[in-house]
Amino acid sequence: MRQLHHPNRDEILLSSVLYALSDPARLHIVMRLHDQDELPCSACSDLEIAKSTFSHHFKTLREAGVIFTRMEGRQRFISLRKEDLDARFPGLMESILQAAAEGKASH
Amino acid sequence: MRQLHHPNRDEILLSSVLYALSDPARLHIVMRLHDQDELPCSACSDLEIAKSTFSHHFKTLREAGVIFTRMEGRQRFISLRKEDLDARFPGLMESILQAAAEGKASH
DNA sequence: TCATAAGTTCGATAACTATCGAACAATAGA
DNA sequence: TCTATTGTTCGATAGTTATCGAACTTATGA
């Protein structure tokens, strides 16, 4: 757990990003990061999901290049990689977040 | 096979669309529809994939609301549901197709 | 030093998915 | 009517994924 892997901007793949965001729980996490600069992982613990499952989702998002995880003490802070995503896929996150905010994400 | 199911515009879900497009083969199919109004399914048969697998991908795309399948005789013509997708998720397909066209889709 | 807290990793399981070949259905054309 | 064409459906399999609880790691604070 010493080092958390983050892909470089150029390594971020569309397929991986779309896949990561196609899960309602993960999309929910990303929506929370929309307005915020940064959030502790624990900020999502109101969703009724086991913490090991959260960890799995964070890993999926992180390895897809969607979020950045900063380690500080025994907390981790996550943030949306807005600049990287927007540089690589202009307009993508904006349209996804807008649609999600309007409740068109799932069921 | 009498009727092919297509969701109404309002039933198209972001999660399902993102999932459908997160598969490289399906994204490839959608890219071919970008410039074209309509294509016969057979137009994708150069991809080295079994036809039953294609059928599966077409079904996934269709049920997610990404493509429309029109039956004519013994052929099926598929088209991108541009208007519906753009009405529901403004800018989404444009940004996805642009990124895909620049080769940022996968590996 | 010891207990607590925050997340990750492990092991297991159930569900889902991509893939294929074979069989099937429906239509067009000879 | 018979045959070839187009695509779907079926059955099977291998791989992947979401989920959980338990064990583990690291750091904080008493």
Side-chain angles (χ1 to χ4, degrees), chain A residues 10-68:
Chain A
D10 291 352
E11 294 169 341
I12 300 177
L13 297 177
L14 182 61
S15 296
S16 305
V17 170
L18 297 180
Y19 179 77
L21 297 175
S22 72
D23 182 278
R26 288 194 289 262
L27 191 54
H28 201 98
I29 292 169
V30 169
M31 285 172 64
R32 298 221 174 162
L33 293 170
H34 189 193
D35 308 319
Q36 308 293 326
D37 272 357
E38 202 176 49
L39 280 178
C41 291
S42 60
C44 297
S45 56
D46 59 314
L47 303 177
E48 288 187 357
I49 295 178
K51 63 177 183 170
S52 56
T53 304
F54 266 116
S55 193
H56 164 69
H57 287 318
F58 289 140
K59 183 181 183 185
T60 302
L61 288 167
R62 187 177 62 243
E63 295 189 339
V66 177
I67 65 174
F68 181 79

Side-chain angles (χ1 to χ4, degrees), chain B residues 7-86:
Chain B
N8 296 327
R9 177 185 288 188
D10 290 351
E11 294 169 341
I12 300 177
L13 298 177
L14 182 60
S15 297
S16 305
V17 171
L18 297 180
Y19 180 76
L21 296 176
S22 71
D23 182 279
R26 289 194 289 263
L27 190 54
H28 201 99
I29 293 169
V30 169
M31 284 172 65
R32 299 221 173 163
L33 293 170
H34 188 195
D35 308 319
Q36 309 293 328
D37 272 357
E38 202 176 49
L39 280 179
C41 291
S42 59
C44 297
S45 57
D46 59 315
L47 302 177
E48 289 188 354
I49 295 177
K51 62 178 184 170
S52 55
T53 304
F54 267 115
S55 192
H56 165 68
H57 288 317
F58 289 139
K59 183 181 182 184
T60 302
L61 288 167
R62 187 177 63 243
E63 294 189 342
V66 177
I67 65 174
F68 180 79
T69 305
R70 180 172 69 81
M71 301 169 68
E72 182 180 314
R74 61 187 168 187
Q75 282 195 83
R76 275 118 187 97
F77 291 89
I78 58 175
S79 53
L80 200 55
R81 292 180 65 176
K82 287 190 178 76
E83 284 190 22
D84 289 330
L85 291 167
D86 216 54

